[in-house]
Amino acid sequence: MIRKFRILDLDAILRIEKKAFPKSPYSRFTFLYYASAYRDNFLVYVQEDMRKGLNKIGGYIIFYPEGHIVSIAVHPAYRRRGIGAELVGEVLKRTKGNASVEVRESNEIAKEFYTHLGFSMQSIIQKYYGDEDALLMIRRGSV
Ligand SMILES: CC(C)(COP(=O)(O)OP(=O)(O)OC[C@H]1O[C@@H](n2cnc3c(N)ncnc32)[C@H](O)[C@@H]1OP(=O)(O)O)[C@@H](O)C(=O)NCCC(=O)NCCS
């Protein structure tokens, strides 16, 4: 299930964030900023845990209303099950299939992921991450 972020999700999101981006995780403050400034654009994937009867956060996505993806991460234990694609799919539903994202040049998995979802490389943004270039990837058109 995908729903809007709730404050009680924050600790789980921070744990996912540290695993997904160990060198430069977003802080608690950054997530709180997006939760307040972009309430409708911060979504979480809730994974039902049948054994424990609990709902666990499988991943999240933050995006700007026009479809620019700010950040996405899926818990390592839940990867390769289509959760990331579903989260991006929620963005594409709202933007008629138009979206964009910056990707670290070395992030081969993210490049594969976005290519699979119909994004293509638009340009290189030199030293976007300070130590590394970004690829600007865009997607246009129908979902
Ligand atoms: C990128 C990320 C969000 C993908 O999430 P996910 O839920 O595992 O992705 P999906 O299962 O929806 O994958 C969809 C497709 O993307 C591609 N893909 C995803 N992971 C891949 C991998 N490890 N290797 C190669 N291709 C991959 C595949 O084409 C896959 O389709 P398939 O499984 O049918 O072959 C996840 O790997 C992640 O959180 N990475 C760390 C954070 C990050 O790099 N975020 C992006 C920053 S721009």
Side-chain angles (χ1 to χ4, degrees), residues 19-140:
K19 288 181 195 292
F21 303 104
K23 279 200 273 177
S24 54
Y26 279 1
S27 66
R28 185 174 290 271
F29 176 81
T30 300
F31 284 113
L32 288 174
Y33 164 73
Y34 283 113
S36 98
Y38 295 96
R39 249 193 109 245
D40 296 337
N41 304 89
F42 186 170
L43 303 178
V44 298
Y45 183 96
V46 182
Q47 177 80 38
E48 209 179 323
D49 187 327
M50 302 300 271
R51 279 172 309 142
K52 295 184 188 152
L54 290 171
N55 287 331
K56 288 192 166 183
I57 304 300
Y60 78 85
I61 190 164
I62 298 170
F63 58 100
Y64 293 133
E66 76 280 6
H68 187 78
I69 296 169
V70 174
S71 190
I72 177 172
V74 171
H75 190 293
Y78 296 129
R79 285 188 192 156
R80 221 63 202 266
R81 297 187 191 180
I83 294 174
E86 268 194 61
L87 285 165
V88 174
E90 285 296 318
V91 178
L92 300 178
K93 266 193 225 167
R94 291 161 167 75
T95 60
K96 301 193 171 109
N98 296 301
S100 58
V101 65
E102 287 100 9
V103 181
R104 272 187 188 269
E105 212 196 347
S106 61
N107 193 344
E108 297 298 335
I109 291 174
K111 286 191 269 181
E112 284 284 335
F113 172 68
Y114 289 115
T115 302
H116 177 86
L117 298 178
F119 289 69
S120 50
M121 216 263 271
Q122 169 81 1
S123 56
I124 295 176
I125 310 173
Q126 305 250 334
K127 301 287 175 236
Y128 180 79
Y129 297 102
D131 58 341
E132 192 176 345
D133 297 347
L135 306 185
L136 177 63
M137 298 187 74
I138 62 160
R139 186 187 194 284
R140 291 200 199 287

